[in-house]
Amino acid sequence: DPGRAAVGLRRAGDADVFEHRAVRRKERRQVEAQINADALRKRFGNDLTGTVVTAVYNIKHADKLFIKGAAVTQERREQISRRISQESMERFLNSVTIDFGRIDNPVAYLQTSLYTYHQKLLQPSQAEPVSTGTSEQPLADWELEWLERVKAKRHSQETE
Protein backbone atom coordinates (compact mmCIF):
# COMPACT_ATOMS: atom_id res chain seq x y z
CA ASP A 1 0.00 0.00 0.00
CA PRO A 2 1.63 3.33 -1.09
CA GLY A 3 -0.06 5.27 1.73
CA ARG A 4 1.41 2.99 4.37
CA ALA A 5 4.89 3.30 2.82
CA ALA A 6 4.63 7.10 2.92
CA VAL A 7 3.59 7.00 6.59
CA GLY A 8 6.55 4.74 7.35
CA LEU A 9 8.92 7.14 5.63
CA ARG A 10 7.47 10.08 7.49
CA ARG A 11 7.89 8.27 10.78
CA ALA A 12 11.50 7.49 9.92
CA GLY A 13 12.00 11.15 9.09
CA ASP A 14 10.45 12.20 12.40
CA ALA A 15 12.76 9.82 14.22
CA ASP A 16 15.73 11.47 12.49
CA VAL A 17 14.45 14.90 13.54
CA PHE A 18 13.96 13.77 17.14
CA GLU A 19 17.41 12.15 17.20
CA HIS A 20 18.94 15.36 15.80
CA ARG A 21 17.13 17.43 18.44
CA ALA A 22 18.37 15.08 21.16
CA VAL A 23 21.94 15.53 19.90
CA ARG A 24 21.51 19.33 19.87
CA ARG A 25 20.09 19.26 23.43
CA LYS A 26 23.04 17.14 24.58
CA GLU A 27 25.52 19.51 22.90
CA ARG A 28 23.74 22.53 24.40
CA ARG A 29 23.91 20.95 27.88
CA GLN A 30 27.64 20.42 27.31
CA VAL A 31 28.03 24.12 26.47
CA GLU A 32 26.01 25.03 29.59
CA ALA A 33 28.33 22.85 31.70
CA GLN A 34 31.46 24.29 30.02
CA ILE A 35 30.54 27.86 30.95
CA ASN A 36 28.69 26.92 34.17
CA ALA A 37 25.48 28.49 32.90
CA ASP A 38 23.74 28.07 36.27
CA ALA A 39 26.27 30.37 37.95
CA LEU A 40 26.10 32.82 35.05
CA ARG A 41 22.27 32.87 35.28
CA LYS A 42 22.46 33.85 38.95
CA ARG A 43 24.83 36.65 38.13
CA PHE A 44 23.68 37.88 34.71
CA GLY A 45 20.08 36.64 34.40
CA ASN A 46 18.28 34.06 32.28
CA ASP A 47 17.93 36.06 29.05
CA LEU A 48 21.55 37.07 28.69
CA THR A 49 22.84 33.65 29.76
CA GLY A 50 20.50 31.87 27.33
CA THR A 51 21.68 34.11 24.49
CA VAL A 52 25.31 33.49 25.46
CA VAL A 53 24.75 29.71 25.52
CA THR A 54 23.23 29.87 22.03
CA ALA A 55 26.11 32.00 20.74
CA VAL A 56 28.74 29.64 22.20
CA TYR A 57 26.79 26.64 20.87
CA ASN A 58 26.84 28.21 17.39
CA ILE A 59 30.56 28.96 17.57
CA LYS A 60 31.15 25.33 18.45
CA HIS A 61 28.49 23.41 16.50
CA ALA A 62 26.81 25.46 13.73
CA ASP A 63 27.22 23.97 10.24
CA LYS A 64 28.92 27.18 9.10
CA LEU A 65 30.17 30.18 11.05
CA PHE A 66 30.90 33.60 9.60
CA ILE A 67 32.64 36.30 11.61
CA LYS A 68 32.75 39.75 10.01
CA GLY A 69 31.69 38.14 6.73
CA ALA A 70 34.50 35.56 6.66
CA ALA A 71 33.97 31.82 7.04
CA VAL A 72 35.74 30.32 10.06
CA THR A 73 37.30 26.87 9.78
CA GLN A 74 36.14 24.11 12.10
CA GLU A 75 39.69 23.78 13.46
CA ARG A 76 39.81 27.46 14.41
CA ARG A 77 36.33 27.24 15.96
CA GLU A 78 37.47 24.32 18.10
CA GLN A 79 40.54 26.27 19.26
CA ILE A 80 38.36 29.21 20.24
CA SER A 81 35.65 27.13 21.89
CA ARG A 82 38.25 25.33 24.05
CA ARG A 83 39.20 28.74 25.48
CA ILE A 84 35.64 29.56 26.52
CA SER A 85 35.05 28.98 30.23
CA GLN A 86 32.97 30.36 33.07
CA GLU A 87 35.87 32.65 34.00
CA SER A 88 36.37 33.99 30.48
CA MET A 89 32.60 34.51 30.10
CA GLU A 90 32.44 36.43 33.39
CA ARG A 91 35.40 38.61 32.34
CA PHE A 92 33.76 39.26 28.98
CA LEU A 93 30.31 40.02 30.40
CA ASN A 94 31.78 42.28 33.08
CA SER A 95 33.75 44.19 30.44
CA VAL A 96 30.88 45.04 28.09
CA THR A 97 27.57 46.84 28.18
CA ILE A 98 25.03 45.22 25.88
CA ASP A 99 21.88 47.10 24.96
CA PHE A 100 19.68 44.44 23.33
CA GLY A 101 17.17 47.12 22.37
CA ARG A 102 19.67 48.42 19.84
CA ILE A 103 20.84 45.07 18.46
CA ASP A 104 18.87 43.41 15.66
CA ASN A 105 20.32 39.93 16.21
CA PRO A 106 21.71 39.46 19.74
CA VAL A 107 22.94 35.90 19.07
CA ALA A 108 24.92 36.94 15.99
CA TYR A 109 26.26 39.99 17.85
CA LEU A 110 27.42 37.84 20.76
CA GLN A 111 28.88 35.17 18.44
CA THR A 112 31.06 37.80 16.81
CA SER A 113 32.03 39.55 20.01
CA LEU A 114 32.68 36.32 21.96
CA TYR A 115 34.67 34.85 19.08
CA THR A 116 36.74 38.03 18.72
CA TYR A 117 37.28 38.31 22.48
CA HIS A 118 38.46 34.71 22.81
CA GLN A 119 40.55 34.95 19.66
CA LYS A 120 42.45 37.81 21.30
CA LEU A 121 42.96 35.65 24.40
CA LEU A 122 44.66 33.08 22.16
CA GLN A 123 47.08 35.68 20.80
CA PRO A 124 47.92 38.11 23.59
CA SER A 125 50.61 40.61 22.71
CA GLN A 126 53.55 40.80 25.09
CA ALA A 127 53.48 44.59 24.95
CA GLU A 128 49.75 45.05 25.52
CA PRO A 129 47.56 43.68 28.29
CA VAL A 130 44.42 41.81 27.24
CA SER A 131 41.60 44.30 26.84
CA THR A 132 39.35 44.58 29.87
CA GLY A 133 36.90 46.79 28.01
CA THR A 134 37.46 49.83 30.22
CA SER A 135 36.47 53.15 28.70
CA GLU A 136 40.08 54.41 28.49
CA GLN A 137 40.93 51.80 25.88
CA PRO A 138 40.23 52.26 22.18
CA LEU A 139 37.34 50.34 20.70
CA ALA A 140 38.01 47.07 18.91
CA ASP A 141 37.51 46.90 15.12
CA TRP A 142 34.26 44.95 15.50
CA GLU A 143 32.96 47.56 17.96
CA LEU A 144 33.75 50.38 15.55
CA GLU A 145 32.08 48.50 12.67
CA TRP A 146 29.01 47.82 14.82
CA LEU A 147 28.77 51.48 15.87
CA GLU A 148 28.96 52.55 12.22
CA ARG A 149 26.14 50.14 11.29
CA VAL A 150 24.01 51.47 14.17
CA LYS A 151 24.67 55.09 13.15
CA ALA A 152 23.81 54.32 9.52
CA LYS A 153 20.60 52.54 10.54
CA ARG A 154 19.56 55.40 12.82
CA HIS A 155 20.31 57.91 10.08
CA SER A 156 18.20 55.96 7.57
CA GLN A 157 15.33 55.76 10.10
CA GLU A 158 15.52 59.50 10.81
CA THR A 159 15.37 60.37 7.11
CA GLU A 160 12.29 58.23 6.48
Side-chain angles (χ1 to χ4, degrees), residues 58-78:
N58 289 348
I59 289 170
K60 203 169 185 176
H61 297 291
D63 292 337
K64 294 179 182 173
L65 180 69
F66 292 88
I67 301 294
K68 299 179 187 174
V72 180
T73 65
Q74 188 62 41
E75 179 184 345
R76 188 66 182 154
R77 292 164 58 179
E78 288 170 12

Side-chain angles (χ1 to χ4, degrees), residues 13-32:
D14 287 347
D16 291 342
V17 168
F18 292 132
E19 184 176 313
H20 184 65
R21 284 185 189 147
V23 168
R24 284 196 319 245
R25 277 194 302 272
K26 179 180 177 190
E27 290 169 341
R28 189 171 169 93
R29 283 193 300 271
Q30 289 170 344
V31 167
E32 288 176 342

